[in-house]
């Protein structure tokens, strides 16, 4: 897709404890050719996950910093994620802050090289019975392109600015937020479902035979980190019979991790 002379392609990064982070590579093109001169550029955001707790002030700040030599024109767009983690998941952009339940200020800004700026997120929605899940897309742009001088005679040049845009997870938590993980074993797989009222991040997971020690890489199966949203079912394929699953669970940003041990043969609630 090309927008205003800018070519966009997207890659979805999952795992690594980064909350379903989406990365966009924005290539600013001068002409079409077989030669490209890359230009290093970087926008830094101080965190990828924001919790709006019902017992907090209802506002949080993100800090953006321009570590490149370019002037950045930054736009911010908030969307609500409906049915997060499920087959019916939808990303909905809502222009009206009252309907969205969030105010983002500012939504556009200019960052000079080396400059930093705070962006405020204010939760103005009612506290719900379950999570309200949002994504805040932060996209930097540059306005000029220099094709560079290291191009052989007869070749057409293009300068590509590879800019990373961030998709920040924002969660408005319910009162008495608590995940509830229900497990079920089936042939060749284990199913984990979150029947609670809030999501949780499952870290450092492994599937082991029931009599194996934790961390035994010879017999245990390592799992990617996974955020389990309300109503989501995570299917974990495994050839280990009679397994036990172990995780660290982190529900809120500032919470301490809990150690979970799940025995899906019997079905368990945590």
């Amino acid at each position: 897709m090309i927008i205003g002379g800018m070519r966009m392609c997207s890659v979805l990064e999952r795992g690594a404890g980064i909350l379903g982070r989406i990365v966009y590579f924005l290539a600013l093109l001068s002409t079409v050719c077989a030669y490209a001169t890359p230009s290093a550029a970087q926008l830094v955001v101080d965190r990828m996950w924001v919790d709006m707790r019902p017992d907090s002030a209802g506002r949080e700040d993100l800090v953006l910093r321009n570590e490149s030599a370019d002037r950045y024109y930054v736009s911010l767009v908030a969307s609500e994620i409906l049915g997060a983690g499920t087959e019916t998941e939808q990303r909905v952009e809502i222009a009206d802050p009252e309907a969205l339940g969030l105010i983002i200020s500012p939504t556009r800004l200019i960052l000079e090289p080396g400059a930093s700026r705070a962006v405020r997120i204010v939760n103005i929605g009612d506290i719900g019975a379950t999570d309200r899940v949002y994504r805040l897309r932060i996209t930097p742009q540059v306005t000029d392109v220099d094709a560079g001088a290291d191009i052989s005679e007869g070749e057409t040049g293009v300068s590509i600015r590879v800019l990373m845009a961030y998709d920040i997870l924002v969660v408005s938590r319910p009162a008495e937020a608590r995940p509830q993980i229900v497990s079920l074993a089936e042939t060749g797989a284990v199913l984990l479902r979150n029947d609670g009222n809030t999501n949780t991040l499952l870290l450092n997971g492994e599937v082991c035979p029931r009599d194996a020690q934790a961390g035994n890489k010879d017999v245990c199966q390592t799992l990617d980190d996974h955020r389990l949203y309300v109503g989501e079912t995570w299917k974990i394929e495994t050839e280990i019979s009679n397994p036990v699953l172990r995780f660290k669970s982190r529900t809120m940003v500032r919470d301490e991790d809990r150690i979970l041990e799940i025995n899906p043969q019997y079905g368990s609630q945590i």
Side-chain angles (χ1 to χ4, degrees):
M1 178 171 64
I2 300 177
I3 303 176
M6 187 169 294
R7 183 176 300 273
M8 178 183 294
C9 42
S10 64
V11 176
L12 177 64
E13 288 187 350
R14 296 186 65 104
I18 306 293
L19 326 160
R21 171 180 170 185
I22 298 178
V23 177
Y24 293 89
F25 295 102
L26 308 179
L28 193 59
L29 306 180
S30 58
T31 57
V32 178
C33 69
Y35 187 93
T37 305
S39 175
Q42 189 173 15
L43 175 71
V44 176
V45 181
D46 69 336
R47 49 184 164 155
M48 296 296 298
W49 170 15
V50 177
D51 265 328
M52 313 298 289
R53 306 170 68 121
D55 58 351
S56 70
R59 60 182 182 271
E60 295 285 342
D61 288 340
L62 290 174
V63 178
L64 281 56
R65 186 171 69 255
N66 181 357
E67 293 190 348
S68 78
D70 297 307
R71 172 185 290 173
Y72 280 165
Y73 297 84
V74 183
S75 62
L76 299 95
V77 178
S79 302
E80 185 167 10
I81 309 301
L82 304 178
T86 69
E87 294 180 354
T88 60
E89 178 179 309
Q90 289 182 294
R91 182 176 186 134
V92 181
E93 290 187 12
I94 303 173
D96 180 8
E98 288 191 11
L100 180 65
L102 288 182
I103 294 176
I104 310 298
S105 181
T107 57
R108 294 183 181 274
L109 56 96
I110 298 173
L111 276 181
E112 300 291 346
S116 297
R117 178 75 183 271
V119 172
R120 175 148 293 185
I121 304 171
V122 182
N123 185 11
I124 60 172
D126 294 332
I127 297 173
T130 61
D131 289 341
R132 289 190 75 175
V133 180
Y134 304 92
R135 287 284 179 176
L136 177 60
R137 183 177 298 164
I138 304 175
T139 307
Q141 298 180 29
V142 292
T143 58
D144 61 329
V145 174
D146 183 357
D150 297 330
I151 301 174
S152 301
E153 185 177 352
E155 291 183 311
T156 304
V158 56
S159 179
I160 298 179
R161 302 291 183 95
V162 181
L163 306 184
M164 187 169 66
Y166 294 89
D167 225 32
I168 308 300
L169 174 66
V170 180
V171 182
S172 176
R173 302 280 184 172
E176 304 297 329
R178 186 174 183 271
Q180 184 178 22
I181 301 175
V182 178
S183 66
L184 178 67
E186 61 178 34
T187 303
V190 174
L191 304 180
L192 299 182
R193 187 180 70 248
N194 186 355
D195 284 351
N197 65 356
T198 197
N199 73 85
T200 190
L201 183 60
L202 300 177
L203 304 162
N204 302 337
E206 62 178 10
V207 184
C208 298
R210 195 168 299 275
D211 58 353
Q213 283 191 334
N216 186 339
K217 295 183 179 180
D218 292 332
V219 296
C220 294
Q221 172 186 341
T222 301
L223 300 175
D224 291 335
D225 297 343
H226 186 92
R227 184 175 292 278
L228 196 63
Y229 290 97
V230 175
E232 178 190 358
T233 298
W234 180 21
K235 184 175 182 179
I236 302 168
E237 296 183 350
T238 182
E239 296 180 358
I240 298 174
S241 59
N242 195 25
V244 60
L245 287 75
R246 300 184 181 93
F247 298 95
K248 289 182 180 179
S249 173
R250 184 180 305 159
T251 299
M252 306 231 188
V253 171
R254 297 180 179 88
D255 284 354
E256 293 185 2
D257 295 344
R258 292 193 305 144
I259 304 299
L260 302 184
E261 184 167 300
I262 302 172
N263 299 289
Q265 181 184 15
Y266 306 105
S268 57
Q269 298 184 3
I270 302 164

